[in-house]
Amino acid sequence: LPQGTMIEIQFRSGDDANDLDGATFVGPTSPSDAYTELGQIYSLNPDHDGDRWIQYQLRLSTSAPSQSPSLDEIQFYYAPMLR
C-alpha cells in the first residue's frame, strides 16, 4: 500500500443469506476493530464458527490526498469444522 493509506476488512456471517442483513460486521475481536495487515493469513473471529454464509466489507482510507489504496485480490480458504 502507498504510504499514508490503509485498508480495513471486517466480516459478518449467518446461517443463510437472510441472516446477513441483521448481522454485525466484526474484526478479529469485536465490531470496533478490523483486519489491517494485508498479505496475512487470518483465522476469522470465532463468532463466525458454524455459519454457512459470509460477507465482507472494506474501508479504504488515505491521509495523503495524492495517494489511494487499492486491493487487487482477496482469497478465502475454507476448512470444515471437525465435530
Side-chain angles (χ1 to χ4, degrees):
L1 287 174
Q3 188 165 345
T5 66
M6 177 183 266
I7 296 178
E8 299 174 284
I9 306 171
Q10 290 185 314
F11 298 90
R12 66 182 179 180
S13 62
D15 288 329
D16 58 46
N18 293 326
D19 287 344
L20 294 176
D21 287 335
T24 301
F25 283 100
V26 297
T29 62
S30 72
S32 63
D33 67 359
Y35 300 90
T36 58
E37 295 295 323
L38 301 181
Q40 301 295 315
I41 296 175
Y42 289 106
S43 293
L44 291 183
N45 184 312
D47 290 350
H48 303 297
D49 287 356
D51 288 345
R52 297 176 46 215
W53 287 74
I54 193 157
Q55 188 175 47
Y56 65 92
Q57 72 175 358
L58 303 175
R59 285 191 298 262
L60 286 71
S61 60
T62 185
S63 61
S66 64
Q67 301 291 330
S68 296
S70 66
L71 183 69
D72 296 324
E73 178 179 51
I74 188 166
Q75 294 181 357
F76 295 95
Y77 299 95
Y78 170 73
M81 292 178 53
L82 301 177
R83 294 178 191 241

